[in-house]
């Protein structure tokens, strides 16, 4: 019987997930369907329950329901628990397993696809929202020499230092406190790129040979990537690889088979111009 999976979000019309999971299923010969379901803003729990009752095996969850997905789960992973958010649900009998695969997807893209090992590097995450929360544990697990989080609202970055204190030492502060600091891997996890807004960043943050990575994808050269290039950075990447890698992690959780990601990333890549 064909197994059913879905993405639940609001909106979902723009989502690439049905295409990505369709390609994964084809490549791994898995008998499944994957659709996008737009839940009413006040109707996530009902939408999830009815998909599950109709035989659904699992879901991805996107904005704005990742926190609710975590709250409704019965068996969250450590990453989901610390992020306080889940993007992957798997239904097992009467249990709901939850995970957050965004951060692992990011680290896989950085290390496997882009060839930038994080061990011993100075890593800066810009932003303190859900994407940053999900990325902290997977990045910390690679043992960077220095791990910093800077956010427009400094207090939100400081709150992360406390929340993750048992797992890693974070250097935290505001975007306006980065003058004179220097990093090897700079990841923009703010949503500023979605509105083409620039961040007030000093050129000093980009060390020679640095990688500048914007989690936003499909928008070409974002203001952050343009800033990095103007500061002399030659290795630039957007979040398309993260998108495909987080999907591959979800697929593996559901099916126990890891799909190859390279061809799918190539298919979805928009040139950075
Ligand atoms: P979120 O929880 O809403 O957090 C947004 C963050 O962006 C906050 O830290 C906010 O700072 C900051 N911000 C927003 N506008 C800003 C501006 N104009 N200047 C400076 N900072 C600004 O969002 P999220 O879920 O973490 O997602 C962040 C980004 O990652 C989004 O663009 C999303 O599309 C992307 N993402 C990509 C993938 C992928 O697979 N490639 C996966 C997940 C997320 P304040 O705290 O000061 O408000």
């Amino acid at each position: 019987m064909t197994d059913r999976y879905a993405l639940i979000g609001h909106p979902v019309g723009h989502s690439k997930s049905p295409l990505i999971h369709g390609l994964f299923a084809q490549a791994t010969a898995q008998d499944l369907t994957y659709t996008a379901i737009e839940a009413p803003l006040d109707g996530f729990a009902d939408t999830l329950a009815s998909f599950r009752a109709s035989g659904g095996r699992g879901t991805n969850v996107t904005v704005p329901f990742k926190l609710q997905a975590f709250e409704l789960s019965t068996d969250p992973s450590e990453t989901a628990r610390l992020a306080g958010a889940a993007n992957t649900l798997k239904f097992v009998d009467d249990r709901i397993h939850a995970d957050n695969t965004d951060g692992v997807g990011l680290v896989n893209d950085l290390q496997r696809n882009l060839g930038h090992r994080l061990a011993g590097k100075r890593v800066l995450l810009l932003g303190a929202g859900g994407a940053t929360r999900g990325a902290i544990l997977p990045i910390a697990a690679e043992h960077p020499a220095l791990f910093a989080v800077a956010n427009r609202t400094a207090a939100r970055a400081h709150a992360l230092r406390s929340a993750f204190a048992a797992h890693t030492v974070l250097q935290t502060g505001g975007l306006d406190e980065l003058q004179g600091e220097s990093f090897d891997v700079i990841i923009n996890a703010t949503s500023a790129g979605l509105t083409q807004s620039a961040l007030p960043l000093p050129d000093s943050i980009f060390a020679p040979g640095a990688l500048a990575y914007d989690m936003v994808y499909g928008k070409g050269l974002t203001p952050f990537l343009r800033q990095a290039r103007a500061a002399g950075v030659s290795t630039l990447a957007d979040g398309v690889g993260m998108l495909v890698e987080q999907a591959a992690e979800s697929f593996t959780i559901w099916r126990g088979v890891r799909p190859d990601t390279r061809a799918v990333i190539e298919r979805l890549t928009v040139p950075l111009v």
Side-chain angles (χ1 to χ4, degrees):
M1 201 176 88
T2 303
D3 290 332
R4 294 171 54 224
Y5 297 87
L7 168 73
I8 303 179
H10 185 118
V12 290
H14 64 287
S15 175
K16 305 275 185 229
S17 294
L19 170 65
I20 295 170
H21 284 282
L23 292 168
F24 286 167
Q26 214 173 26
T28 57
Q30 293 286 305
D31 185 13
L32 61 86
T33 62
Y34 185 107
T35 52
I37 301 173
E38 184 160 300
L41 286 173
D42 60 354
F44 174 70
D46 289 346
T47 303
L48 185 72
S50 81
F51 180 69
R52 200 175 162 203
S54 70
R57 300 286 303 272
T59 65
N60 280 134
V61 180
T62 189
V63 175
F65 301 129
K66 290 184 187 181
L67 303 186
Q68 285 180 64
F70 166 71
E71 282 158 13
L72 286 169
S73 70
T74 55
D75 299 81
S77 69
E78 178 77 342
T79 308
R81 200 177 58 71
L82 276 161
N87 73 341
T88 306
L89 300 177
K90 180 180 177 181
F91 310 135
V92 183
D93 302 324
D94 61 342
R95 314 290 294 173
I96 302 179
H97 292 246
D99 214 322
N100 190 321
T101 63
D102 284 338
V104 176
L106 168 70
V107 169
N108 285 346
D109 192 36
L110 291 169
Q111 300 202 133
R112 292 186 195 167
N113 302 335
L114 300 169
H116 272 251
R117 312 268 351 143
L118 301 178
K121 299 283 172 54
R122 293 163 296 173
V123 177
L124 170 64
L125 262 176
L126 300 166
T132 291
R133 290 190 81 98
I136 289 175
L137 267 196
I139 290 176
E142 300 302 323
H143 304 293
L146 174 72
F147 191 4
V149 176
N151 192 45
R152 176 175 62 182
T153 311
R156 291 188 74 197
H158 294 319
L160 295 180
R161 185 176 58 204
S162 314
F164 286 86
H167 301 269
T168 187
V169 177
L170 291 175
Q171 176 186 305
T172 55
L175 296 178
D176 54 356
E177 294 171 71
L178 290 168
Q179 195 64 50
E181 303 276 349
S182 182
F183 301 91
D184 307 302
V185 178
I186 303 97
I187 301 158
N188 183 16
T190 76
S191 44
L194 292 175
T195 52
Q196 295 296 320
S197 311
L199 298 169
L201 301 173
D203 286 353
S204 68
I205 62 168
F206 302 104
L211 165 72
Y213 190 103
D214 201 327
M215 284 192 187
V216 168
Y217 56 86
K219 300 214 172 273
L221 213 53
T222 61
F224 167 72
L225 294 177
R226 206 169 290 125
Q227 273 171 284
R229 191 174 64 176
V233 177
S234 56
T235 313
L236 308 172
D238 75 358
V240 68
M242 173 180 176
L243 174 75
V244 176
E245 292 294 343
Q246 62 80 24
E249 289 301 311
S250 298
F251 193 93
T252 308
I253 288 168
W254 293 326
R255 310 300 298 179
V257 180
R258 190 162 215 293
D260 190 36
T261 51
R262 193 157 294 273
V264 182
I265 293 172
E266 275 169 19
R267 179 158 170 176
L268 294 181
T269 293
V270 172
L272 297 179
V273 287

